[in-house]
Amino acid sequence: MSVRDMVEKDYYAALGVPKDASAADIKKAYRKLARELHPDKNPGDAKAEARFKEVSEAYDVLSDESRRREYDEARALFAAGGRPGGFTGGRPGGFGAPGGFGAPGSAYGGSPNLNFEDLLGGAGGGGLGGFFDMFQRSSPGRGPRRGGDIEAEVTIPFEKSLTGLEASVRLPGAATCTTCEGSGARPGTAPRTCPTCRGLGVVSRSQGGFALSEPCRDCLGKGTMIDHPCPDCRGTGRREREQRIRIPPGVSDGQRLRVRGRGTPGERGGPAGDLEVTVHVLRHPIFDREGSNLTITLPVTITEAALGASVRVPTLDGAPLTVKVPAGTSSGRRLRARGRGVPMSGGGHGDLIVTLEVTVPKPADLSPRARTALLEFAQAHPEDPRAPLMERMEAGE
Ligand SMILES: [Zn+2]
Ligand SMILES: [Zn+2]
């Protein structure tokens, strides 16, 4: 995330959430938009694709507590235009430092400030053993420490949820670009010091007797300028992180997959954390799922329903299936093709459930001959299907 991004992009507006939105609201807004705008759902729609990228980028930043804070601070600073006492330049390691805004571990994010009473008198007690456990966990520079878990999301087409696939998962946050080692400059070149602010990232001007410092507009506060941007990160020095993971067949919408050891690397020989991926499955125009069963609604004509017929059902795994519609079928009847559903984790497949729906021809679609035939049918079969209902009501049941 460059300073330019922080200043120019309104990530809250991109997600349509207020500035004080909770993490849960941000996640909810992102999921909804990501589903609507996913490229698989909007093939060839460049506008949707651009929005999808914008939304993903906004979520990357706002879903990461420390990056969100960094972003909020940067924007507040720029909105204020650099006030006396607020941002008065000359702070080494602050704003104009190479590598960006807010040095890691400065001001925030230090180790938690635990004190002895808190630990011993804490809820649940735990005695001395508990104290030492906590001490060990919270104290840096001790034994091996397990790396953190990483949460990520991936959206896949419906068909792929049945077959499984190897998917690329975008991880939140970005990693330092390895090509330019984060400088943003093409290998063999180097960023040069901004001549306007002489590398400070801020310029001073006087207004009404005050000396005001404001972010340098030429380098956008970076203090450096890049003449030859790195081709792999386009000068940002950061690159999206991706991991390829195997998604097993039969995964359902909202399912979480835990990939052991693919999270943040451990410290001092500790094991890596896990990568936890929430899978979103896009809806299919024809098929749906009920657990491990695949479902489809299949239209049949009046005569097929009355007289019985063999009809073809589309499938997702190749050739259409032929099913027998029994004579005298009403709308809503369900037929079951065993083993033609969703692969199950324990082996085997669910069923394909075909719900029959009797379609009635529209008057405009009826030829005079078909209409005559229907009238003849009505005469030949003078049935009142409501008679039993009337009788029951009259009998006072
Ligand atoms: Zn680069
Ligand atoms: Zn400058």
Side-chain angles (χ1 to χ4, degrees):
M1 180 170 49
S2 69
V3 174
R4 174 192 281 260
D5 283 353
M6 292 194 204
V7 180
E8 291 184 349
K9 296 184 178 173
D10 188 342
Y11 291 142
Y12 292 101
L15 292 177
V17 295
K19 302 237 179 317
D20 57 355
S22 68
D25 287 344
I26 287 171
K27 191 168 195 170
K28 211 166 119 193
Y30 164 71
R31 284 192 175 166
K32 183 166 172 290
L33 287 167
R35 266 184 219 214
E36 282 168 16
L37 299 166
H38 197 276
D40 286 339
K41 222 177 159 187
N42 304 279
D45 184 345
K47 219 167 149 185
E49 198 185 329
R51 267 287 287 152
F52 182 72
K53 280 190 181 146
E54 185 186 23
V55 162
S56 305
E57 186 184 325
Y59 182 65
D60 273 356
V61 173
L62 298 186
S63 63
D64 182 320
E65 207 182 302
S66 70
R67 297 182 72 203
R68 181 179 177 184
R69 197 165 47 213
E70 205 178 297
Y71 172 75
D72 287 345
E73 283 169 7
R75 282 186 67 90
L77 214 55
F78 272 80
R83 246 174 234 150
F87 183 66
T88 46
R91 215 174 83 203
F95 191 58
F101 203 95
S106 70
Y108 301 99
S111 57
N113 215 351
L114 298 173
N115 72 48
F116 201 74
E117 275 90 1
D118 285 347
L119 291 171
L120 289 181
L128 219 53
F131 167 68
F132 281 116
D133 275 358
M134 280 185 79
F135 187 71
Q136 207 126 43
R137 246 183 292 145
S138 62
S139 146
R142 305 251 153 178
R145 200 163 71 166
R146 183 181 177 274
D149 293 342
I150 297 179
E151 284 208 37
E153 311 201 12
V154 66
T155 302
I156 62 171
F158 188 87
E159 292 90 326
K160 297 288 184 196
S161 74
L162 303 186
T163 56
L165 76 157
E166 179 118 335
S168 223
V169 178
R170 290 192 48 202
L171 305 187
T176 301
C177 172
T178 49
T179 310
C180 61
E181 290 171 335
S183 75
R186 181 186 289 271
T189 70
R192 76 186 151 91
T193 304
C194 170
T196 311
C197 61
R198 293 182 309 277
L200 290 173
V202 284
V203 288
S204 301
R205 65 187 171 89
S206 55
Q207 190 184 51
F210 287 105
L212 299 186
S213 290
E214 58 178 23
C216 172
R217 290 178 198 282
D218 287 342
C219 62
L220 291 165
K222 285 200 290 281
T224 53
M225 293 177 122
I226 295 167
D227 297 321
H228 308 284
C230 164
D232 290 338
C233 62
R234 279 158 307 164
T236 60
R238 314 274 290 168
R239 249 196 289 182
E240 273 174 17
R241 294 186 301 161
E242 283 192 344
Q243 281 216 26
R244 292 195 71 78
I245 64 158
R246 178 83 214 148
I247 296 179
V251 69
S252 56
D253 185 39
Q255 195 173 328
R256 285 156 81 89
L257 302 175
R258 183 171 275 273
V259 191
R260 296 233 174 268
R262 298 279 290 273
T264 309
E267 284 171 42
R268 296 178 295 277
D274 299 336
L275 172 62
E276 191 157 71
V277 182
T278 304
V279 182
H280 302 290
V281 179
L282 294 172
R283 293 185 69 88
H284 192 277
I286 293 174
F287 291 95
D288 206 346
R289 267 180 76 164
E290 283 172 13
S292 59
N293 293 331
L294 199 56
T295 61
I296 182 174
T297 298
L298 191 75
V300 291
T301 65
I302 298 175
T303 46
E304 284 168 342
L307 306 175
S310 281
V311 296
R312 300 207 307 164
V313 186
T315 62
L316 279 170
D317 55 358
L321 200 70
T322 301
V323 297
K324 235 175 115 59
V325 177
T329 285
S330 296
S331 247
R333 183 167 191 167
R334 283 155 78 99
L335 306 177
R336 185 181 290 265
R338 295 216 179 270
R340 299 300 297 264
V342 181
M344 295 188 281
S345 56
H349 285 69
D351 302 331
L352 172 63
I353 310 272
V354 182
T355 303
L356 299 174
E357 188 180 71
V358 178
T359 60
V360 178
K362 300 269 172 295
D365 297 335
L366 281 180
S367 67
R369 195 175 148 217
R371 195 180 143 73
T372 307
L374 281 177
L375 287 170
E376 274 173 24
F377 170 77
Q379 278 169 6
H381 185 71
E383 173 203 38
D384 180 3
R386 291 160 301 277
L389 303 184
M390 299 301 176
E391 276 162 27
R392 282 178 72 171
M393 290 308 289
E394 276 154 26
E397 266 180 48

